[in-house]
Amino acid sequence: MELAYVCEWEKRPKSTHCPSIPLVCSWSCRNLVAFTTDLKSEDDDKNVSHMIHIIDTEHPWDVFSINSGHTEVISCLEWDQSGSRLLSADGDGQIKCWSMSDHLVNSWESVLSSSLDGDPIIALSWLHNGVKLALHVEMSGSTNFGEKFSRVKFSPSLTLFGGKPMEGWLAVTVSGLVTVSLLKPGGALLTASESLCRLRGRVALADIAFTGGGNIVVAATDGSSSSPVQFYKVVVSVVSEKCRIDTELLPSLFLRCTTDPLRREKYPAVTHLKFLTRENSEQVLLCASNQNGSIVECWSLRKEGLPVNNIFQHCSPVVGEKQPTILKWRILTTTSDLERVSAVALPKLPISISNTELKFCPGLGLALAFHDGSIQILHRLSLHTMGVFYGASSAQRPGDESAIKRQRTAGPTVHFKALQFSWTSLALAGVDNHGKLHMLRVSPSMGQVLEMNTTLRHLLFLLEYCMVTGYDWWDVLLHVQPSMVHNLVEKLHEEYMRQNQALQQVLATRIVAVKASLCKLSTATAARACDFHAKLLLIAISSTLKSLLRPHVLNTPDKSPGDRLTEICAKNTDTDIDKVMLNLKTEEFVLDGPPLQSLQQLIQWVGDFVLYLLANLPNQGSMVRPGFGFMRDGASLGMLREMLVMIRIWGLLKPGCLPTFTATSDNQDSMLLLFRLLTKLWLCCKLTTV
């Protein structure tokens, strides 16, 4: 692990800027990080504003801060599955849902809220939408995306008519209440609350997980290591337009450290309770601590046979044939005595962890932050140390005696109070006790020395995963060296071309965006990055113009006008644009919606771009000039031909919408010349490809 950057704040007096207690942090699939701090008023120290800060990890210098309006310290932050909405909950029982304004990352507004007055929220989660993808690391060398990434059968927490998942959130309070808020299709909010069990008690820590059958599992503890960790099944349903919550008690567990005579009273408090993954309620991570140290235990829920006396086996043939089973928590592994743990981060990458001998795959490690400022990466199941990061104030560097001496005279140690992994587990965000956000690179090799080809395979595997899921891939780019760019782009294109036609169509724009991001990392491929960005714009304009076409007869079984235009232009190799237009129906190009004048800027850009490509034909031997990639890209040249045909037809209907060129006064002749030259270039590209 190594430090990538630190998010510095604007210069404020230290007396007015303070971190909130507890600090919370959340990382979305769009690589947006949200975290909290408090801001004191300059006039009144008791007047504290609870702030939510949202940053784009690629542009950390642009921090968007929200005065949340919460009256108490914010205790929970949770992104939804799309990364466009954020939940915040505080110590007064208030929950707010924040959404982007006009799809802008630097503009957020509170759109919905719910409240349980005076009952602090300690756990918060969006309801599961039923989408779960499994990553098969052992199949990373396969050429089929379906073998690498498979859809897992997983039921949503609640469904509407037709099986559509219902949106909403679930929260657990300190008094043992579980509250659910459902978003109805009309925009209304349907809320309900229910006790986790009949005998309500104080809940200090809780976490939420989901099962494949659509149920919700809540783990809760009162904070004492001598008390049992309770588990509850929560079922949410809608009956007669009202939300209903049913709860059921599940098997509980006692920490191993409390049953050990040597450690019975050594770690009195449970400080962290987390399920290993949100989609797996059968594995849980527990951390017990004292003032100076901690111990971490990993537990698993297993189905075990229940021994039956021989007397009953002879009396009942059913018992003799099939041994009864019982669910029981069993400890998987535990750590030795550690420094005091200040924060825990679990990976979000849904990889299979059945192979415990796998040492160097991203997503296999969890992160522990300690009060001495260091961070350790441990294996998710074995809890063996896989990597260590020493903070600037950490005194635990081996062989660094000067750091230990400095620590004695220095002020309070800077340590992380909140940790979050990225969605590919290649980056780690930590908020320290001064409210600063630190971004760390987490090596895909997990500290192991790997060959370059193995590293490339891991990065390629994660880039493909981001393409399939639609997640942002900025954290993968953190580990791409300039020398890797060319190989990654070529291998990514080869894997893409091996997929079926339907999947290629779905991933067409995503792979262009990934290639553009990769090519920006090297000066040798900067010109190709310009080509890929131009292609993205070209695809967007082509889709916009084609979407305006309407069939001349409604409910026609024939292809759409856009599909027919593509098919005719692909088959017709004539250089005369008017002959190509003979196979098209002009009435399909009459717009009922926006006037043609409103498309003038897009039309002008298409004309200028075609003219730029044709002007660069004499320089096509130089790969440095932007536009070189288009001269060998038959698909892009084909899109340009299609748009020139549309522009030509619209120009016949209204000449004012044609692109204008200063070199000639006759725009009609200019369109004929442009199409003729572009078609010849397109034909040469096809012959070269064949």
Side-chain angles (χ1 to χ4, degrees):
M1 285 186 295
E2 59 180 351
L3 184 66
Y5 59 78
V6 179
C7 186
E8 295 286 352
W9 292 99
E10 58 181 323
K11 299 301 181 180
R12 290 194 183 122
K14 293 183 179 180
S15 59
T16 62
H17 185 242
C18 62
S20 59
I21 301 175
L23 284 176
V24 287
C25 176
S26 185
W27 196 320
S28 78
C29 63
R30 294 189 178 190
N31 279 329
L32 302 178
V33 177
F35 59 102
T36 61
T37 59
D38 292 343
L39 185 64
K40 294 180 181 179
S41 174
E42 297 181 359
D43 300 330
D44 186 5
D45 290 343
K46 296 182 179 179
N47 186 8
V48 178
S49 300
H50 304 287
M51 309 295 294
I52 299 176
H53 310 283
I54 299 176
I55 68 166
D56 184 352
T57 53
E58 190 174 3
H59 309 96
W61 53 85
D62 187 12
V63 181
F64 181 74
S65 300
I66 308 171
N67 189 348
S68 64
H70 285 286
T71 57
E72 295 292 336
V73 173
I74 299 173
S75 57
C76 299
L77 286 176
E78 282 293 327
W79 290 98
D80 70 342
Q81 290 83 0
S82 65
S84 59
R85 288 179 299 180
L86 178 69
L87 288 178
S88 62
D90 64 11
D92 194 36
Q94 189 178 19
I95 303 174
K96 291 187 176 184
C97 178
W98 303 87
S99 180
M100 291 183 183
S101 301
D102 300 325
H103 306 282
L104 298 176
V105 177
N106 59 352
S107 181
W108 297 79
E109 59 181 356
S110 178
V111 292
L112 293 168
S113 64
S114 62
S115 179
L116 287 173
D117 294 337
D119 204 353
I121 306 296
I122 58 173
L124 181 66
S125 176
W126 289 88
L127 297 181
H128 204 283
N129 60 357
V131 177
K132 182 182 178 183
L133 202 67
L135 276 72
H136 304 285
V137 182
E138 64 278 3
M139 301 298 294
S140 60
S142 175
T143 59
N144 188 359
F145 284 179
E147 296 178 355
K148 298 179 183 180
F149 320 106
S150 62
R151 180 76 176 267
V152 179
K153 187 177 181 181
F154 208 89
S155 299
S157 302
L158 191 62
T159 56
L160 297 168
F161 179 78
K164 181 181 179 181
M166 192 171 189
E167 295 182 324
W169 59 80
L170 178 139
V172 180
T173 69
V174 74
S175 66
L177 277 180
V178 55
T179 177
V180 176
S181 299
L182 303 177
L183 301 177
K184 300 177 69 175
L189 199 62
L190 189 64
T191 61
S193 301
E194 185 63 47
S195 176
L196 283 173
C197 59
R198 293 182 179 180
L199 297 177
R200 290 174 60 185
R202 179 180 179 272
V203 178
L205 296 172
D207 198 19
I208 302 168
F210 302 91
T211 67
N215 298 324
I216 304 168
V217 178
V218 176
T221 177
D222 62 1
S224 175
S225 60
S226 59
S227 300
V229 179
Q230 302 283 0
F231 296 86
Y232 306 91
K233 182 174 75 172
V234 179
V235 180
V236 182
S237 59
V238 177
V239 180
S240 301
E241 297 296 325
K242 293 183 179 180
C243 181
R244 178 180 174 180
I245 303 174
D246 296 314
T247 61
E248 178 184 342
L249 186 64
L250 297 176
S252 58
L253 65 88
F254 283 90
L255 271 74
R256 172 63 63 87
C257 62
T258 60
T259 60
D260 186 354
L262 300 177
R263 296 175 174 172
R264 182 170 299 172
E265 298 179 356
K266 187 174 182 179
Y267 302 105
V270 179
T271 54
H272 297 88
L273 165 63
K274 290 181 178 292
F275 288 103
L276 282 183
T277 60
R278 280 295 173 92
E279 288 86 12
N280 187 1
S281 61
E282 298 178 353
Q283 291 178 341
V284 67
L285 189 79
L286 295 164
C287 177
S289 306
N290 56 25
Q291 292 295 329
N292 301 314
S294 300
I295 189 170
V296 178
E297 298 178 359
C298 184
W299 290 75
S300 177
L301 185 64
R302 297 178 180 177
K303 186 179 293 186
E304 298 182 355
L306 187 64
V308 180
N309 194 283
N310 294 332
I311 299 176
F312 297 100
Q313 292 181 0
H314 294 299
C315 294
S316 176
V318 178
V319 175
E321 294 175 0
K322 185 178 181 181
Q323 184 181 15
T325 59
I326 187 174
L327 291 175
K328 195 171 184 178
W329 286 97
R330 291 291 185 183
I331 190 168
L332 289 177
T333 184
T334 182
T335 63
S336 56
D337 296 338
L338 303 171
E339 292 289 331
R340 189 180 176 188
V341 175
S342 59
V344 178
L346 296 175
K348 304 179 180 68
L349 202 63
I351 65 172
S352 174
I353 55 176
S354 57
N355 185 6
T356 57
E357 297 180 356
L358 198 60
K359 300 293 184 182
F360 48 83
C361 179
L364 276 181
L366 58 91
L368 298 180
F370 299 94
H371 276 264
D372 64 354
S374 64
I375 298 177
Q376 289 188 17
I377 302 293
L378 307 181
H379 194 279
R380 290 169 65 174
L381 292 183
S382 64
L383 297 183
H384 292 157
T385 302
M386 304 173 68
V388 182
F389 170 79
Y390 297 100
S393 61
S394 176
Q396 300 300 320
R397 294 177 185 268
D400 190 359
E401 297 181 358
S402 60
I404 300 178
K405 295 178 180 179
R406 288 195 303 268
Q407 187 64 29
R408 295 174 182 174
T409 60
T413 304
V414 176
H415 62 274
F416 297 98
K417 299 186 65 176
L419 280 180
Q420 277 283 315
F421 268 111
S422 68
W423 284 71
T424 61
S425 302
L426 292 184
L428 186 66
V431 185
D432 62 21
N433 51 341
H434 294 301
K436 291 184 179 181
L437 185 137
H438 301 246
M439 186 63 63
L440 305 175
R441 296 186 183 94
V442 181
S443 172
S445 63
M446 292 296 177
Q448 305 291 326
V449 179
L450 302 179
E451 297 180 355
M452 179 63 71
N453 291 335
T454 306
T455 303
L456 286 175
R457 189 172 72 246
H458 282 301
L459 296 177
L460 180 65
F461 182 68
L462 293 176
L463 286 174
E464 293 169 348
Y465 168 70
C466 292
M467 283 174 49
V468 172
T469 57
Y471 295 162
D472 190 79
W473 53 89
W474 171 85
D475 45 340
V476 183
L477 301 181
L478 280 177
H479 303 272
V480 177
Q481 302 297 327
S483 58
M484 302 179 182
V485 171
H486 180 73
N487 289 334
L488 279 176
V489 171
E490 295 300 325
K491 290 181 180 296
L492 193 65
H493 182 74
E494 291 176 3
E495 296 296 326
Y496 169 78
M497 295 303 297
R498 291 171 180 171
Q499 311 309 311
N500 58 63
Q501 193 66 29
L503 186 57
Q504 287 187 21
Q505 187 174 1
V506 172
L507 304 178
T509 55
R510 295 179 187 174
I511 189 173
V512 177
V514 173
K515 289 179 179 179
S517 301
L518 288 171
C519 290
K520 286 194 300 184
L521 302 178
S522 174
T523 56
T525 55
R528 297 186 64 187
C530 297
D531 290 341
F532 288 131
H533 282 296
K535 186 173 182 179
L536 284 174
L537 183 58
L538 182 65
I539 293 174
I541 294 176
S542 176
S543 301
T544 301
L545 297 183
K546 285 184 178 180
S547 66
L548 300 176
L549 306 181
R550 297 292 183 268
H552 65 288
V553 178
L554 296 179
N555 299 326
T556 175
D558 198 2
K559 297 181 179 179
S560 65
D563 294 336
R564 291 201 324 107
L565 175 64
T566 302
E567 183 180 2
I568 291 174
C569 290
K571 292 181 178 180
N572 197 324
T573 59
D574 203 307
T575 58
D576 191 349
I577 190 172
D578 293 328
K579 293 183 179 180
V580 178
M581 290 167 47
L582 294 177
N583 299 318
L584 298 171
K585 300 177 181 178
T586 308
E587 57 268 20
E588 294 179 346
F589 292 81
V590 179
L591 304 183
D592 297 331
L596 288 174
Q597 292 87 338
S598 62
L599 304 176
Q600 175 60 33
Q601 292 181 346
L602 295 180
I603 292 174
Q604 184 65 44
W605 184 90
V606 174
D608 292 343
F609 188 72
V610 174
L611 192 61
Y612 171 80
L613 287 181
L614 297 177
N616 274 279
L617 277 175
N619 303 320
Q620 62 176 321
S622 174
M623 296 185 63
V624 181
R625 294 288 297 273
F628 174 78
F630 276 89
M631 298 177 186
R632 293 187 178 181
D633 188 355
S636 299
L637 296 177
M639 280 191 291
L640 288 172
R641 291 182 74 244
E642 296 167 14
M643 286 190 285
L644 288 183
V645 172
M646 286 190 287
I647 294 171
R648 171 69 171 176
I649 297 177
W650 287 338
L652 295 176
L653 299 175
K654 194 171 187 63
C657 73
L658 286 173
T660 57
F661 304 100
T662 57
T664 177
S665 59
D666 192 349
N667 293 327
Q668 299 284 345
D669 294 338
S670 299
M671 290 295 298
L672 297 176
L673 181 61
L674 284 179
F675 186 83
R676 183 178 298 112
L677 295 176
L678 183 64
T679 302
K680 291 182 178 179
L681 180 61
W682 174 65
L683 291 174
C684 293
C685 179
K686 290 182 65 176
L687 292 175
T688 305
T689 305
V690 174

